[in-house]
Amino acid sequence: MPAPIRPTRPLHLSVALDRPAGEGAGPYLRAARLAERGRLDFVTLGDSLGPPRRGASRLDALAVLARIAPATERIGLVPTVTTTHTEPFHVSSAVSTLDWVSRGRAGWTVDVSADEATARHFGRRAAAPAAELWREAGEVADVVTRLWDSREDGAELRDTATGCLADRDKLHRVDFEGTGFSVRGPSLVPRPPQGH
């Protein structure tokens, strides 16, 4: 009789909450609670930049999952965050904030936007080839990690008597030069509960 197959790593189950946008975050919240009761590990929520398609509304994935965070207890929350027209400093702050409001349950699916309509919507630059955008997305992921590390644990002082908000010795400049952006740092948001 052959030996039983044993998994070498844990299996993680998730569900995408993607659906046509309805009225508010309610349908997403109900689906996330159902997934949590079903003992799934995490939920994902897709997003894209640019104007919504005709006849449809679109909610921001980070904002929806920030609404879901305090109404759930253990399920992971993984939004899609497009890096193409979003400043890395803002990506870092937004994902870090989601990790704080979810008490360490945030993730991040990186995406890019290569279509001309979205580029026109933002008006900052023309659409670029996907390979170039994915290279830039790698740089964004790198600098976001550096921003999360730019504030050591315990850097927050908030000493009202002295007016000192942070321990300067626990703050570190990032000084990152990418192909299309630069970030000086440090982050304004405390290090996320998960670290990375």
Side-chain angles (χ1 to χ4, degrees):
M1 177 181 266
I5 298 173
R6 294 191 179 140
T8 57
R9 55 191 164 124
L11 177 66
H12 295 284
L13 299 175
S14 69
V15 65
L17 299 181
D18 303 335
R19 61 182 53 213
E23 297 297 317
Y28 299 100
L29 176 58
R30 287 189 292 278
R33 285 179 169 162
L34 179 62
E36 187 169 62
R37 283 194 307 273
R39 307 298 298 163
L40 273 67
D41 295 298
F42 62 96
V43 296
T44 64
L45 184 54
D47 202 349
S48 64
L49 296 177
R53 291 183 179 89
R54 186 174 181 188
S57 61
R58 186 175 39 82
L59 301 176
D60 178 84
L62 268 164
V64 170
L65 293 181
R67 164 62 183 94
I68 290 171
T72 56
E73 294 179 8
R74 59 151 211 87
I75 197 158
L77 306 169
V78 184
T80 296
V81 179
T82 304
T83 62
T84 306
H85 302 285
T86 309
E87 294 295 331
F89 196 85
H90 296 177
V91 171
S92 168
S93 296
V95 176
S96 182
T97 299
L98 178 61
D99 203 46
W100 276 104
V101 299
S102 68
R103 298 171 310 281
R105 296 181 286 131
W108 171 26
T109 300
V110 179
D111 199 7
V112 299
S113 177
D115 67 283
E116 190 59 45
T118 301
R120 279 193 313 274
H121 179 70
F122 281 89
R124 292 178 50 208
R125 65 180 186 183
E132 181 181 319
L133 296 175
W134 281 110
R135 275 191 301 281
E136 181 182 77
E139 291 179 347
V140 171
D142 181 19
V143 78
V144 164
T145 302
R146 292 179 191 206
L147 282 164
W148 290 338
D149 289 339
S150 70
R151 294 179 81 88
E152 293 179 26
D153 294 334
E156 304 300 311
L157 296 177
R158 299 177 194 241
D159 186 342
T160 55
T162 64
C164 188
L165 297 176
D167 181 345
R168 288 181 184 255
D169 293 334
K170 293 184 177 184
L171 301 177
H172 310 287
R173 290 182 59 84
V174 173
D175 294 329
F176 184 91
E177 283 290 332
T179 54
F181 63 88
S182 63
V183 175
R184 298 292 168 234
S187 176
L188 298 175
V189 178
R191 182 176 168 81
Q194 293 183 75
H196 295 167

